[in-house]
């Protein structure tokens, strides 16, 4: 990272500029529990590979990370099973909304990538098949990489999503009909909804994702998370598939691998340099945080710290 840049000042300035503009979009309300969140929340945390941390706004408030968790379940599955996972899920951008059923028919139940809902369900299915207790081991994995035992599922959010999750239930059963889900769909969906319900702060997210920034990252127990080649591949998938059918736009404007969630969070990483988490619940029409995208576009433009 450049020593000449005052990162705290940079994020404070961008935060003020973005806050001064109208906050456009709609917070996700299709999950009833998410509709209760104050849509004006706004937080940012930047963590550098030199272990410096900068935060502004609501950066220490927990929120529902939703689809951001898909990167973490993918990473754990990749760690356990290696390249065999790519027989069950692709690595192509979908160009479709995250919960689309259309491509699955022509692709014979092999989801385009692990960051859309169908792909994340196949990953959940793999974790259920290869762990004693997927829910417990997944949580343990996140707590370890974040060195923080205060990370939890939100049962209220998981139950709330389950109560209205008709499309996800359809997706899971549809993939099962192609035999690309091996466990009972109810079990897979239960884990999927729990996985999406994880709550974290921007600070916790920025810390957690350092395993995709720092080649030398080790947990407190001195264990690496992924090898360098695996981390490269996860970053490549985030770069091309991390923002639903707005992945090209995010790459174009921000120029970092990242992942968003319908809770309004975005995590982005600059391999070798930093991770940055932004949270603002109002989403644009593609389902990505309106302020989050604007903040990150300004950040990489002002600091010239994008990967391109
Ligand atoms: N749990 C959400 C769903 O399946 C995740 C969506 C997201 O964050 O993209 O609808």
């Amino acid at each position: 990272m450049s020593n000449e840049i005052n990162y705290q000042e940079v994020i404070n300035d961008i935060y003020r500029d973005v806050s001064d503009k109208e906050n456009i979009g709609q917070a996700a309300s299709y999950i009833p529990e998410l509709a209760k969140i104050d849509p004006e929340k706004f937080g940012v945390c930047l963590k550098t590979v030199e272990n410096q941390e900068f935060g502004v706004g609501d950066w220490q408030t927990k929120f529902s990370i939703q689809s951001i968790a898909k990167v973490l379940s993918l990473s754990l599955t990749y760690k356990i099973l290696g390249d065999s996972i790519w027989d069950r899920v692709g690595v192509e951008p979908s160009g479709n909304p995250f919960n689309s059923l259309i491509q699955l028919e022509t692709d014979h139940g092999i989801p385009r990538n692990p960051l859309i809902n169908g792909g994340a369900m196949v990953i959940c299915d793999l974790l259920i098949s290869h762990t004693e207790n997927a829910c417990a081991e997944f949580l343990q994995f996140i707590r370890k990489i974040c060195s923080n035992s205060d990370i939890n599922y939100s049962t209220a959010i998981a139950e709330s999503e389950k109560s209205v999750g008709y499309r996800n239930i359809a997706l899971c059963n549809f993939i099962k009909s192609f035999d690309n889900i091996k466990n009972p769909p109810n079990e897979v969906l239960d884990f999927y909804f729990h996985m999406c319900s994880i709550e974290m702060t921007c600070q916790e997210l920025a810390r957690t994702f350092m395993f995709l920034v720092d080649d030398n990252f080790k947990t407190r127990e001195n264990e690496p998370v992924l090898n360098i080649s695996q981390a490269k591949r996860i970053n490549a998938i985030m770069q091309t598939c991390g923002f639903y059918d707005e992945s090209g736009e995010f790459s174009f404007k921000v120029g970092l691998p990242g992942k968003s969630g319908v809770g309004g969070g975005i995590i982005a990483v600059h391999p070798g340099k930093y991770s940055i988490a932004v949270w603002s619940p109002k989403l644009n029409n593609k389902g990505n945080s309106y302020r989050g995208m604007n903040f990150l576009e300004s950040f990489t433009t002002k600091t010239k710290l994008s990967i391109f």
Side-chain angles (χ1 to χ4, degrees):
M1 296 286 280
S2 161
N3 291 329
E4 292 132 48
I5 302 177
N6 181 336
Y7 290 102
Q8 188 63 56
E9 206 169 279
V10 171
I11 66 169
N12 287 350
D13 287 352
I14 302 174
Y15 186 88
R16 203 186 39 246
D17 289 351
V18 173
S19 302
D20 282 349
K21 294 196 188 106
E22 190 190 348
N23 192 7
I24 298 171
Q26 289 292 322
S29 57
Y30 74 100
I31 301 174
E33 274 300 301
L34 287 186
K36 297 180 182 166
I37 312 295
D38 174 1
E40 296 306 318
K41 292 280 183 202
F42 186 19
V44 180
C45 180
L46 167 71
K47 185 169 174 73
T48 72
V49 78
E50 293 86 10
N51 223 9
Q52 293 173 298
E53 229 169 60
F54 308 93
V56 60
D58 300 302
W59 66 300
Q60 288 171 316
T61 304
K62 297 237 189 216
F63 64 94
S64 183
I65 72 168
Q66 289 295 321
S67 277
I68 296 173
K70 292 172 182 167
V71 180
L72 301 172
S73 55
L74 171 64
S75 299
L76 175 58
T77 312
Y78 200 14
K79 181 180 174 66
I80 296 173
L81 293 174
D83 286 320
S84 65
I85 64 176
W86 309 124
D87 297 338
R88 302 269 306 270
V89 62
V91 294
E92 288 298 334
S94 72
N96 269 306
F98 61 99
N99 54 7
S100 168
L101 283 136
I102 294 170
Q103 276 167 345
L104 276 170
E105 177 80 347
T106 43
D107 293 348
H108 307 290
I110 306 287
R112 282 281 162 107
N113 69 68
L115 301 185
I116 51 175
N117 290 10
M121 286 174 197
V122 168
I123 294 295
C124 286
D125 184 55
L126 282 165
L127 268 184
I128 292 170
S129 297
H130 292 90
T131 52
E132 292 281 310
N133 179 336
C135 243
E137 289 180 41
F138 177 58
L139 189 59
Q140 187 58 23
F141 174 71
I142 301 181
R143 288 176 173 181
K144 258 192 182 178
I145 48 181
C146 191
S147 295
N148 183 341
S149 56
D150 182 36
I151 293 171
N152 285 296
Y153 297 112
S154 158
T155 312
I157 292 178
E159 291 301 326
S160 175
E161 183 166 9
K162 195 192 276 184
S163 72
V164 293
Y166 308 111
R167 184 170 273 268
N168 281 326
I169 294 165
L171 266 173
C172 194
N173 281 283
F174 197 42
I175 302 171
K176 176 84 177 169
S177 77
F178 290 102
D179 198 32
N180 197 21
I181 291 279
K182 309 293 176 187
N183 295 285
N186 278 351
E187 218 178 298
V188 176
L189 285 161
D190 188 67
F191 178 39
Y192 173 80
F193 291 137
H194 275 87
M195 176 191 82
C196 293
S197 81
I198 292 266
E199 293 185 311
M200 290 170 86
T201 66
C202 289
Q203 183 178 34
E204 288 164 350
L205 267 180
R207 288 180 179 178
T208 300
F209 274 75
M210 287 308 286
F211 78 99
L212 294 173
V213 173
D214 182 357
D215 284 350
N216 300 313
F217 182 92
K218 297 223 169 55
T219 64
R220 258 193 206 149
E221 297 76 17
N222 210 28
E223 290 167 23
V225 178
L226 295 176
N227 65 38
I228 290 175
S229 154
Q230 288 174 327
K232 176 187 83 174
R233 291 180 199 287
I234 301 283
N235 281 334
I237 293 171
M238 287 206 292
Q239 184 75 43
T240 50
C241 312
F243 294 83
Y244 319 116
D245 51 343
E246 201 175 26
S247 298
E249 185 87 1
F250 188 83
S251 213
F252 182 72
K253 286 186 170 159
V254 179
L256 294 174
K259 181 74 196 92
S260 64
V262 294
I266 298 180
I267 182 74
V269 298
H270 190 315
K273 291 197 163 52
Y274 66 88
S275 68
I276 186 161
V278 187
W279 172 47
S280 169
K282 283 196 180 175
L283 310 177
N284 65 18
N285 59 2
K286 298 285 171 123
N288 296 307
S289 170
Y290 174 76
R291 282 190 162 163
M293 295 264 293
N294 283 347
F295 185 96
L296 289 168
E297 181 180 4
S298 288
F299 181 79
T300 55
T301 305
K302 286 200 170 147
T303 59
K304 302 187 180 67
L305 287 171
S306 88
I307 65 167
F308 298 110

